[in-house]
Amino acid sequence: MAALSGGTGWRRGWLPALQLVRRGSKAVTRHWKAMHFQRQKLLAVTEYVPPRPAVPPQCLPRHADPTHEEDGYVRLLKRQVQEVFQKSRMVAVCQYNSMPNEDVVTMQHYLRKHNIEVKFVLNEIVRPVLAQSKYRNLLPLFVCRNILLVSPETRAKEMLRVLKGVPQVNLLGACIDDTILSRQGVENFSRLPSLETSQGQTVGALALLPSQTCSLLQRGPSLLTALLDAHIRRLRDTGTPGEPPQQQGTGSH
């Protein structure tokens, strides 16, 4: 109590709970500094670049989920594609590039004049249908945005004439009368004559051979007959051997 009663004693034994100590402030010497240009170039050159895939991901086939059930609209589109390949004698696969709607309508108009229809299809719909049919060899053609030019007749010449004025549509191949043709094959097919002309040429070629055979068979007897006739005429002119020559008549005795 004596220690606490004195003014100097209790101040000497008491320690404050909070002490404010002022320390010397240190100057900030590190400031932002731009990276050297040579170092920037070195980092840019040595930056890791992952290798690009050989085939773009959008070109790889999409594997359907086995647990996913197709809706009715997808089944309807697949059924329409099957009917197109079954009812059309000519199905041409073309690569379609972007073009104005007016040009698309004009192209459809000129093709429709030759009984050729334009079908816009999706690869996701066409590829599964072709994979299970006899047209599976057409699958490599469906790798981009494609359209189908279908017709119940073989109008290859008219189709090529219309596509010649539409550079945005490139012919890749076709299936004509259940025969798969390339672009060059379609061009060769368009140069062939019509069916009526081919049938007439075939009939003429078949009729020519019998006529030549008949003429060859008749040539020998005809030549022999001509030789015999010439020999008989010569004998008549010179007289028959062994026969006395005819005497000219004289006056009466």
Side-chain angles (χ1 to χ4, degrees), residues 158-178:
E158 293 80 0
M159 179 187 65
L160 291 176
R161 188 183 303 116
V162 175
L163 293 182
K164 188 176 181 180
V166 187
Q168 293 85 354
V169 179
N170 301 319
L171 178 63
L172 302 178
C175 180
I176 302 178
D177 288 338
D178 294 336

Side-chain angles (χ1 to χ4, degrees), residues 31-44:
H31 297 279
W32 179 85
K33 185 178 180 181
M35 188 182 300
H36 195 270
F37 183 67
Q38 295 293 340
R39 186 177 181 183
Q40 293 181 11
K41 290 174 33 176
L42 180 61
L43 292 178

Side-chain angles (χ1 to χ4, degrees), residues 36 62 117 136 215 221 234:
H36 195 270
R62 299 181 181 179
E117 296 291 336
R136 63 178 61 91
S215 62
R234 187 176 59 185

Side-chain angles (χ1 to χ4, degrees), residues 44-216:
V45 171
T46 57
E47 183 181 2
Y48 173 74
V49 179
R52 298 178 58 184
V55 180
Q58 59 269 20
C59 297
L60 295 175
R62 299 181 181 179
H63 301 283
D65 188 3
T67 61
H68 177 69
E69 185 177 356
E70 296 181 351
D71 55 358
Y73 182 65
V74 174
R75 292 195 298 269
L76 175 62
L77 294 178
K78 290 184 177 180
R79 191 180 307 115
Q80 291 178 353
V81 173
Q82 292 177 354
E83 293 177 356
V84 165
F85 279 89
Q86 291 175 359
K87 298 181 180 180
S88 302
R89 294 181 58 189
M90 184 185 72
V91 180
V93 184
C94 301
Q95 179 185 1
Y96 175 76
N97 298 315
S98 179
M99 56 188 301
N101 295 332
E102 294 80 4
D103 297 342
V104 175
V105 174
T106 304
M107 180 187 68
Q108 291 177 340
H109 170 70
Y110 284 109
L111 289 174
R112 196 176 295 113
K113 290 175 62 178
H114 302 291
N115 198 14
I116 302 175
E117 296 291 336
V118 180
K119 301 291 184 181
F120 291 87
V121 295
L122 298 175
N123 294 344
E124 293 80 3
I125 302 298
V126 177
R127 293 183 66 88
V129 176
L130 296 182
Q132 301 176 0
S133 65
K134 59 182 179 181
Y135 307 105
R136 63 178 61 91
N137 291 334
L138 290 173
L139 285 175
L141 303 180
F142 292 90
V143 295
C144 55
R145 191 178 182 186
N146 302 100
I147 60 174
L148 300 179
L149 305 182
V150 300
S151 175
E153 305 174 5
T154 56
R155 298 297 184 90
K157 183 183 299 183
E158 293 80 0
M159 179 187 65
L160 291 176
R161 188 183 303 116
V162 175
L163 293 182
K164 188 176 181 180
V166 187
Q168 293 85 354
V169 179
N170 301 319
L171 178 63
L172 302 178
C175 180
I176 302 178
D177 288 338
D178 294 336
T179 303
I180 297 177
L181 302 174
S182 62
R183 178 184 177 89
Q184 186 63 37
V186 176
E187 294 177 356
N188 296 336
F189 179 83
S190 64
R191 301 189 189 99
L192 296 177
S194 61
L195 180 60
E196 293 78 8
T197 306
S198 300
Q199 290 176 350
Q201 293 176 354
T202 303
V203 172
L206 294 177
L208 179 62
L209 296 177
S211 63
Q212 292 178 350
T213 303
C214 182
S215 62
L216 290 176

